[in-house]
């Protein structure tokens, strides 16, 4: 699974990415998870299965939906899980969407 997170500048999701990577590793899953800034989603060359938006950029979801043009799901990360950097919960949310 390839999970791309996007936030205002790509920095606030960096810690969450690490927590998600740790959770995936603990579960024996080999996922690629990375962060970018919301303005770079359109230029992203890496293949991805899902785009997860930080709550602070949730207002731009329609724009990202248009960019991906139905190829992959675009979801907003739950505020409590994002705020607490609950990597396992955010990872499960991505898996649930793609199930």
């Amino acid at each position: 699974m390839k999970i791309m997170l996007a936030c205002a500048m790509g920095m606030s999701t960096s810690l969450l990415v690490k927590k998600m990577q740790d959770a995936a590793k603990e579960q024996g899953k080999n996922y690629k998870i990375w962060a970018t800034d919301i303005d770079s989603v359109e230029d992203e060359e890496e293949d991805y299965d899902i785009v997860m938006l930080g709550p602070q950029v949730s207002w731009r979801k329609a724009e990202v939906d248009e960019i991906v043009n139905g190829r992959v799901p675009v979801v907003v990360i739950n505020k409590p899980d994002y705020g607490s950097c609950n990597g396992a919960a955010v990872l499960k949310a991505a898996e649930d969407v793609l199930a």
Side-chain angles (χ1 to χ4, degrees):
M1 183 181 308
K2 298 176 185 173
I3 305 169
M4 181 171 68
L5 279 63
C7 68
M9 296 180 71
M11 287 190 268
S12 61
T13 53
S14 295
L15 182 57
L16 181 56
V17 164
K18 175 73 172 114
K19 297 284 189 173
M20 291 174 70
Q21 290 169 336
D22 291 346
K25 189 175 183 177
E26 286 173 14
Q27 297 171 25
K29 298 171 181 170
N30 186 21
Y31 293 165
K32 178 164 179 145
I33 307 166
W34 72 99
T36 190
D37 66 280
I38 190 86
D39 292 319
S40 297
V41 170
E42 189 167 18
D43 301 324
E44 187 64 42
E45 293 181 9
E46 181 71 41
D47 231 5
Y48 46 86
D49 299 311
I50 187 170
V51 179
M52 302 188 84
L53 304 178
Q56 72 274 36
V57 294
S58 62
W59 61 277
R60 295 184 66 183
K61 183 181 182 303
E63 177 185 339
V64 177
D65 280 329
E66 194 172 307
I67 290 167
V68 303
N69 195 27
R71 290 177 288 124
V72 300
V74 177
V75 298
V76 176
I77 300 168
N78 170 303
K79 274 186 188 183
D81 292 337
Y82 186 87
S84 65
C85 283
N86 188 337
V90 177
L91 185 66
K92 182 174 180 342
E95 291 171 331
D96 288 349
V97 169
L98 294 172

